[in-house]
Amino acid sequence: MERLDRFMACANAIYYAARDPYADFTTSPEISQVFGEILGLWAAVTWRLIGAPDPVLLVEAGPGRGTLMTDALRAIEGVAADFRAALRLHLIETSPRLRALQAGRLPGATWHDGLDTLPRMPLLLLANEFLDALPIRQFVARGGGWMERFVEDGQLIECPSPGAASRAGLCREAGEVYEVCESALAIARWLGARLAARPGAALFLDYGPEASAPGDSLQAIRDGRPADPLASPGSADLTAHVDFAAFADAARRAGAAVHGPVPQGKFLARLGLFQRTDRLARTQPPARALGLIEAARRLAEPDRMGRLFKALALCHPGCPTPPGFEAEPA
Ligand code: SAH
């Protein structure tokens, strides 16, 4: 019998070490180069907002095959040579296989297993679809108390879980499932404390509802299709919805200013997704131009990736509102 979060951590470690995740799913930076370019420009503008520290860490958590950062650095080089010269590239990645891919595209980077070994310097952090891969625990409301889900022989079983009730304050209905991602909360607390003490900002793009909501969101993708998350551990990508409200709250309590979450479509449109795409499309042959425009729509349209995916920023409390998070005009 194994706790669900330990099962998920182990299964994903095997999966990312052994398989090509992009054979099973695609992500925003792989859909359009403009995604990474926009995030690079976000980092450049935010660097100025925090006082243009030199040197500064540019960190990506979970860089996959390095596409986002490659596109971001190209955009930064084009408009902010001073930021390019000041930045030190650090990558958070546990998979040796993906580290090797990243090394081919991002020479000069430094790798870490987690955030806690990053040098004590001002930092700008980018993370796309990183938090959703972190392991979750699940609690179920039963008979006025709480049970925790464990994995045994490919099945979920429920066992009494002392201490679960205090975590699961949200659930009221019997049978409701409440998820907690302790690794994500630890990252929020670490960044909150770090950003309270030093200039910096962190931008997370991921999928999940705006408000914490009960429900089982654990899902597996194998060979590009939904699969049983508990069958053949390591053969499928396991993810869960990000609880943005809990993540934001943990970071705020630790001292960071929080902006968002803002739906991804709105965030990217505010930062010029369609203008940049149009400008790029004009220089391309017709089929590629249409592909770029379709890709931008896929990232931004509400019934595609534009609403379920959200952007959330954590900042040093003295930092002005970063781009894309401005209040709506009344
Ligand atoms: N950001 C990329 C990849 C998303 S897949 C993209 O948008 O395409 C998730 C990434 O996080 C992979 O690089 C995976 O190896 C990494 N990862 C997953 N769990 C991790 C953990 N616990 N610590 C560090 N990296 C992790």
Side-chain angles (χ1 to χ4, degrees), residues 11-313:
N12 268 351
I14 299 170
Y15 176 78
Y16 284 110
R19 312 232 335 174
D20 173 10
Y22 296 96
D24 287 319
F25 60 83
T26 190
T27 55
S28 300
E30 304 293 333
I31 291 171
S32 172
Q33 69 178 74
V34 179
F35 183 84
E37 291 170 356
I38 283 184
L39 266 53
L41 298 177
W42 184 92
V45 173
T46 305
W47 176 65
R48 291 197 206 289
L49 293 179
I50 61 169
D54 181 0
V56 62
L57 302 181
L58 179 61
V59 184
E60 186 179 356
R65 45 184 175 207
T67 306
L68 189 163
M69 191 52 81
T70 304
D71 293 335
L73 290 174
R74 190 180 56 249
I76 291 167
E77 262 154 24
V79 298
D82 48 353
F83 177 44
R84 183 68 188 91
L87 70 85
R88 308 287 180 267
L89 188 57
H90 286 250
L91 305 174
I92 315 288
E93 176 61 70
T94 40
S95 156
R97 197 180 158 279
L98 289 174
R99 276 191 184 196
L101 270 180
Q102 294 154 16
R105 298 181 76 183
L106 300 165
T110 306
W111 279 265
H112 303 260
D113 285 333
L115 278 72
D116 47 347
T117 53
L118 288 170
R120 290 172 198 276
M121 271 189 227
L123 69 79
L124 291 160
L125 180 141
L126 303 174
N128 182 62
E129 290 209 53
F130 170 66
L131 298 175
D132 67 355
L134 301 180
I136 55 157
R137 296 172 75 176
Q138 288 185 336
F139 301 96
V140 191
R142 295 281 179 218
W146 293 95
M147 305 285 270
E148 179 163 5
R149 284 181 162 174
F150 290 77
V151 182
E152 190 169 66
D153 298 330
Q155 307 275 331
L156 283 177
I157 58 165
E158 293 177 8
C159 293
S161 174
S166 58
R167 301 164 188 279
L170 284 167
C171 292
R172 284 171 203 94
E173 300 291 319
E176 268 183 357
V177 176
Y178 176 61
E179 298 179 335
V180 178
C181 184
E182 288 173 350
S183 331
L185 295 177
I187 288 171
R189 283 192 295 269
W190 189 92
L191 276 170
R194 176 67 181 261
L195 293 171
R198 283 191 173 78
L203 175 65
F204 291 89
L205 287 113
D206 226 306
Y207 78 112
E210 197 149 327
S212 302
D216 175 357
S217 75
L218 181 65
Q219 67 167 35
I221 303 286
R222 183 181 298 117
D223 301 326
R225 281 189 296 279
D228 176 357
L230 306 179
S232 352
S235 66
D237 175 54
L238 301 185
T239 60
H241 282 182
V242 173
D243 185 343
F244 283 103
F247 187 80
D249 193 49
R252 203 180 283 117
R253 281 168 193 262
V258 177
H259 302 273
V262 168
Q264 169 167 297
K266 190 174 277 188
F267 177 74
L268 294 176
R270 283 177 175 173
L271 294 180
L273 171 70
F274 291 105
Q275 290 87 337
R276 283 189 72 78
T277 299
D278 279 347
R279 205 160 356 121
L280 181 62
R282 264 184 251 132
T283 65
Q284 302 295 317
R288 163 113 175 101
L290 283 176
L292 282 163
I293 291 164
E294 163 57 18
R297 288 195 182 132
R298 182 169 171 194
L299 297 180
E301 284 177 359
D303 55 349
R304 297 167 87 188
M305 296 173 79
R307 187 167 29 215
L308 179 59
F309 282 75
K310 314 238 169 9
L312 180 84

